[in-house]
Amino acid sequence: MANIKKGDLVQVINGRKQEKGGDRGKQGKVLEILVEQNRVIVEGVNYATKHSRVGQTQRGTKTGGIETIEAPIHISNVALVDPETKKPTRVGHRVEEQVKDGVKRTVRVRYAKKSGKDL
């Protein structure tokens, strides 16, 4: 089971400080996880400028130009945010038994180590 999943709120814990133009300390939602490269794309963090060729659609509107997109950052540089304290925390896993429709099932649950709340 992965520690960070799509849709989680994470905080950047490494890199340049915000005063010096970096992203350390910023929080954002995980948009995508690139498993093969061990990288995540976080909303509002690590903006990059992308140039795309200017074209024209059937209606005559122009497409392309200069866009800013979120670039991926390494997964070790982000930490999951505790829902109670809004600060970065480590993730733990525990096994719980749930009864649904009379059937017992064991489920692995992620929880924040600082507060003990389920994620």
Side-chain angles (χ1 to χ4, degrees):
M1 184 181 260
N3 286 346
I4 296 176
K5 295 185 176 184
K6 182 178 176 181
D8 284 343
L9 184 67
V10 294
Q11 180 172 336
V12 179
I13 58 171
N14 207 349
R16 292 179 61 175
K17 294 181 181 178
Q18 288 186 26
E19 302 93 51
K20 296 186 177 183
D23 290 327
R24 189 193 310 171
K26 287 187 181 177
Q27 292 185 357
K29 203 183 234 186
V30 175
L31 300 175
E32 189 178 348
I33 297 180
L34 308 171
V35 178
E36 295 82 26
Q37 294 116 10
N38 286 331
R39 293 182 174 269
V40 292
I41 297 176
V42 181
E43 183 179 34
V45 175
N46 196 23
Y47 277 113
T49 305
K50 182 179 180 182
H51 297 262
S52 59
R53 181 175 292 188
V54 176
Q56 213 167 11
T57 62
Q58 293 288 338
R59 296 183 179 180
T61 58
K62 299 226 177 208
T63 60
I66 300 173
E67 303 171 341
T68 55
I69 59 168
E70 287 103 355
I73 59 175
H74 200 271
I75 201 163
S76 66
N77 294 334
V78 297
L80 206 65
V81 173
D82 192 336
E84 192 172 279
T85 61
K86 303 292 185 213
K87 292 189 177 181
T89 182
R90 292 186 308 211
V91 180
H93 301 279
R94 65 172 165 245
V95 178
E96 293 181 352
E97 288 189 6
Q98 292 181 345
V99 179
K100 187 175 184 183
D101 299 330
V103 179
K104 267 188 179 181
R105 296 181 186 190
T106 56
V107 180
R108 287 182 69 185
V109 179
R110 294 185 310 156
Y111 71 96
K113 290 232 178 175
K114 281 190 179 177
S115 67
K117 292 272 186 184
D118 289 348
L119 298 171

